[in-house]
Amino acid sequence: QVQLVESGGGLVQPGGSMRLSCEVSGNIISINLMGWYRQAPGNEREFIGSVATYGSTTYADSVKGRFTISRDNVKNMIFLQMDSLKPEDTAIYYCNVPQGWYSEYGYLDEVWGQGTLVTVSS
């Protein structure tokens, strides 16, 4: 019922910036919380942050002050602006809808996109 497609990854130099997008196949106004995660090679998937319906955000300490999450409830998209990138930010980045009951969709299992690879290297 809900599908997520991430885009915007690629190669960036340390200290650079990159903006990731996540397009949602459906209305996100009824999805009160959406998140971004990442998974580096050999590591478990890591929570980066989340954005609520009207824009309030939370962030992991590892990205606080460098990453900014936003959403556009008209375009049904969420975004991850990444600044001051470091080599340790290299990972596959995923957007996420948590499992739960949603008025428009009923019960949803956790939903993940296919991910987009970000490589921070000189």
Side-chain angles (χ1 to χ4, degrees):
Q1 284 180 303
V2 174
Q3 293 182 319
L4 309 177
V5 178
E6 302 93 338
S7 62
L11 176 64
V12 62
Q13 292 188 340
S17 297
M18 183 170 282
R19 188 189 195 213
L20 305 183
S21 301
C22 174
E23 185 171 0
V24 184
S25 64
N27 294 319
I28 67 170
I29 193 69
S30 59
I31 302 175
N32 59 316
L33 197 68
M34 294 191 65
W36 283 98
Y37 289 72
R38 67 185 179 187
Q39 187 166 19
N43 290 359
E44 294 187 353
R45 197 165 294 189
E46 171 191 21
F47 172 77
I48 295 173
S50 61
V51 59
T53 302
Y54 295 109
S56 61
T57 52
T58 59
Y59 298 97
D61 287 344
S62 58
V63 304
K64 198 173 294 183
R66 299 188 299 122
F67 288 11
T68 304
I69 298 174
S70 60
R71 62 191 282 168
D72 186 325
N73 293 330
V74 174
K75 294 182 178 179
N76 296 314
M77 298 181 72
I78 68 169
F79 305 98
L80 177 64
Q81 175 67 40
M82 305 183 291
D83 299 315
S84 302
L85 282 161
K86 306 174 182 179
E88 52 264 43
D89 294 318
T90 295
I92 299 174
Y93 284 71
Y94 300 89
C95 57
N96 167 268
V97 172
Q99 70 175 31
W101 194 89
Y102 298 93
S103 59
E104 183 165 347
Y105 304 106
Y107 180 80
L108 290 178
D109 287 322
E110 196 168 35
V111 183
W112 296 95
Q114 84 290 345
T116 185
L117 176 63
V118 174
T119 303
V120 185
S121 175
S122 55

